[in-house]
Amino acid sequence: MNTALSWIKAYVPDLNIGDQEYTDAMTLTGTKVETYERMDKNLEKIYIGQIEAIEKHPDADKLIVCQLNLGFSKLQIVTGANNVKVGDKVPVVIDGGKVAGGHDGTKPENGIVIKNGKLRGIESFGMLCSIDELGCEKAMFPDAPENGIYILPQDATIGDDAVEYLGLKDTVFEYEVTSNRVDCYSVIGIAREAAATFQTPFLKPVVQVKETEQKIEDFLTVEVLDTDLCPRYCARVCTNIKIGPSPSWMQKRLRASGIRPINNLVDITNYVMEEYGQPMHAFDYETVSDKKIIVKRAVDGEEFETLDGVTRKLDSEILMICDGQKYIGIAGIMGGENSKITEDVKTVVFESATFIGANIRKSAKRIGVRTDASGKFEKGLDPRNAEEAINRACQLIEELGCGEVVSGMIDITVPLKELVKIPFSADRINQILGTQIEKETMISIFERLELCYINDEEVIEIPSFRQDLEGIADLAEEVARFYGYDKIPTTLPSGEATTGKLPFHLRVEEKAKDVAEFCGFSQGMCYSFESPKVFDKLLIPMDSELRKTVTISNPLGEDFSIMRTISLNGMLTSLATNYNRRNKDVRLYEFGNVYLPKEVPLKQLPDERMQFTLGMYGEGDFFTMKGVIEEFFETIGMFEKITYNPNAGKPFLHPGRQAEISYKDTVVGYLGEVHPQVLKNYDLGTKSYVAVLDMPSILPFASFERKFVGIAKYPAVLRDISMVVPKEILVGQIEEVIQQRGGKYLEHYELFDLYEGSQIKEGFKSVAYSISFRGKDKTLEEGDITQAMKKILNGLEALNIELRQ
């Protein structure tokens, strides 16, 4: 957003301040000034002169000698320009003066100094200026010649400062406006901020439209078929249009904003767009068939020629402005070639509407054109601004003698939202800011911003143009930026929470990372987007729930077209990459989400579950991975018995070397050796092991509370048992018997031997445990131990386990 300081001062007349001071103050109050530039940079000693006589140079065919009257002196200047004549008023730079550029359009950093001199023997005491030499672009001055001196209007006063006359004694400020401050995409919005910043009156334009006795109903009807895309559409009609140049003050303001003046009618619509931030469009009334305007969606596949002469292909999501027979404009983007304003126009229809910003942005992208109007519409405009802007345009039509305004306005609108009211509490705002600002000071700040304080209700009523204000924190921000951030003292945060402490789930994840890295694992990161082919590589059945995925609507390609429902693909791909680069021993872990849709097709957000995935090959085996998992569980306070079910049913794991991990009857993950076929699918030529833990299932059992247990006062009693066990009996089943039947004195048990061989009968294995008993309040007697061991042995016999003699 660019504005000239002179235009801001039109609404804030008491603003007497330097450019840098303005920049600093506006930036501190939240309207950030990116940069500013003086329009009269490198323009010095340039005056308005009138040519009184012209003679040919005696020694040069392409040069002429001009005699000029500057009011305060008369000069002779030699020039090669061929577009001047006696009586013309022109900009003249005198000896010691500066121009901003050369006639070829170049602009040296420090300008060009002009000195008296001789041209082919004839003295010349200055220079006549072209528009390029004044540092301006020809495109911004429609009356400037392509090559030659810029001829000033005859109302220019001889001897006056030509730079000031052309409106170049001004500063253009460039602002960085955030997308939530739609009101600041207008000169009025910036001026309101400036008035609040410098605590000076803000004088908004007073809009009063003089109308004729003719009624708009006799000229036009409007119908909005798609109110979901156009919540408000205002239309007015102006007759007896007289096309001509707009006044110089309007041209100066438009040029400063980077808009080329064209004629009074077009300039008025552009002027109001910049002034109010509300794009407008004008149609030639004679081109509107059936004297009717219809706002509706386009038809798929149809085409429309826009004002720039390009034919655009339409679809059913693009909103169109139509008359009774045809399209005449693309809503919010560009008008049509078939309804453009020409020099012969007599009656115009003004359009000022509110279109849904998201639709305008998408439509502009699809048809491949973005305009100043679409850039404003896509921010989401205030519907109440449409009426004020169209009335302002009609006021200017009448005041500038451009035409007459027909009585009445057609206004098609859905019910406007009520103004937002935010409960006001000075104490709460002070608590948020850490300040002690008086309530009256806050209210005065709100009043400067046109936020209305309603005393009876203790609320602040928010004007419709401030769509960014929604709660008490927003009000606190308004107070802070105009009270002065530099005045707010440094305070410590208040509250019961410990400052800087990680949330519980992140602390658990940090412990998992510590354990993994202590055990030699390195962290990796894998894509959440995957290919549907992953399921075939992992041997997952066609009817598996894992194949029900969230599909990406605009994927980079098939390999990134779905959200993953299992975390193993990325891990196995990383292991395979390392293996094929001849890394011998690799251990990797990853924290990442899987995305499990609740139903397909997707109607609600999927269940995002954090997975702790480990993978390894090389040194280590199934039991190494199992030890890492148990180390993690112990670190986060899960001290109770972990059970492993070998019938995990994971098709991507080896059938006899996999296990489902449970804690307190809740499945929390799985581990195992990767299936040989899966290894082949991933080009992984060695045994590999993986484990996956579902963190949401683990978190309810995790705890960092620890209770002190004193050193034992009484000695432990050890018993070793060696058993012949059927091969189908799992060690976990034996430990479950020991745990359940060991009694209150059972302290610890540990597997210390496992043997299968010729010395053990076929179908059996030898298993040996060391069992420790200890009393907390006494030294155990033999009877205490014998009774506990008897119960354990009876339980083992029930499993067809024999005690080795």
Side-chain angles (χ1 to χ4, degrees), residues 118 202 207 252 350 395 444 456 490 520 538 569 587-588 619 624 642 658 788:
K118 289 185 178 181
F202 168 60
V207 179
K252 292 172 185 176
F350 273 122
Q395 177 192 32
S444 69
D456 295 340
T490 301
L538 292 173
N569 175 64
R587 297 187 179 190
L588 300 174
E619 185 179 349
T624 305
I642 301 166
Q658 60 174 279

Side-chain angles (χ1 to χ4, degrees), residues 357-370:
N359 178 262
I360 297 300
R361 177 177 57 83
K362 293 176 182 177
S363 298
K365 185 176 181 180
R366 284 200 295 273
I367 66 174
V369 62
R370 192 172 187 271

Side-chain angles (χ1 to χ4, degrees), residues 2 233 246 259 299 314 424 499 506 523 527 542 556 569 676 757 783:
N2 293 356
Y233 191 95
S246 54
I259 299 175
V299 176
L314 309 175
F424 170 63
T499 304
L506 292 182
Q523 186 173 12
Y527 289 115
M542 295 300 297
L556 296 174
N569 175 64

Side-chain angles (χ1 to χ4, degrees), residues 222-230 233 293-299 302 314-331 355 359:
V222 175
E223 185 178 2
V224 179
L225 300 182
D226 292 299
T227 54
D228 59 321
L229 299 183
C230 177
Y233 191 95
I293 286 180
I294 304 171
V295 183
K296 64 179 182 179
R297 284 177 165 88
V299 176
E302 291 192 340
L314 309 175
D315 62 55
S316 59
E317 289 303 311
I318 296 176
L319 191 66
M320 300 297 294
I321 310 300
C322 317
D323 59 19
Q325 300 178 16
K326 62 185 181 299
Y327 299 138
I328 57 175
I330 303 177
F355 303 114
N359 178 262

Side-chain angles (χ1 to χ4, degrees), residues 517-538:
E517 290 170 7
F518 176 79
C519 295
F521 287 76
S522 299
Q523 186 173 12
M525 297 183 70
C526 304
Y527 289 115
S528 294
F529 299 162
E530 291 187 335
S531 167
K533 298 175 183 177
V534 164
F535 302 118
D536 294 333
K537 294 177 71 176
L538 292 173

Side-chain angles (χ1 to χ4, degrees), residues 484-499:
Y485 290 114
D486 55 326
K487 298 178 184 177
I488 297 177
T490 301
T491 56
L492 292 174
S494 61
E496 297 179 359
T498 302
T499 304

Side-chain angles (χ1 to χ4, degrees), residues 545 547-551 596-603:
E545 289 292 316
R547 287 184 179 263
K548 295 179 180 178
T549 62
V550 178
T551 303
L596 308 177
K598 298 178 177 67
E599 57 182 326
V600 177
L602 201 66
K603 295 182 181 178

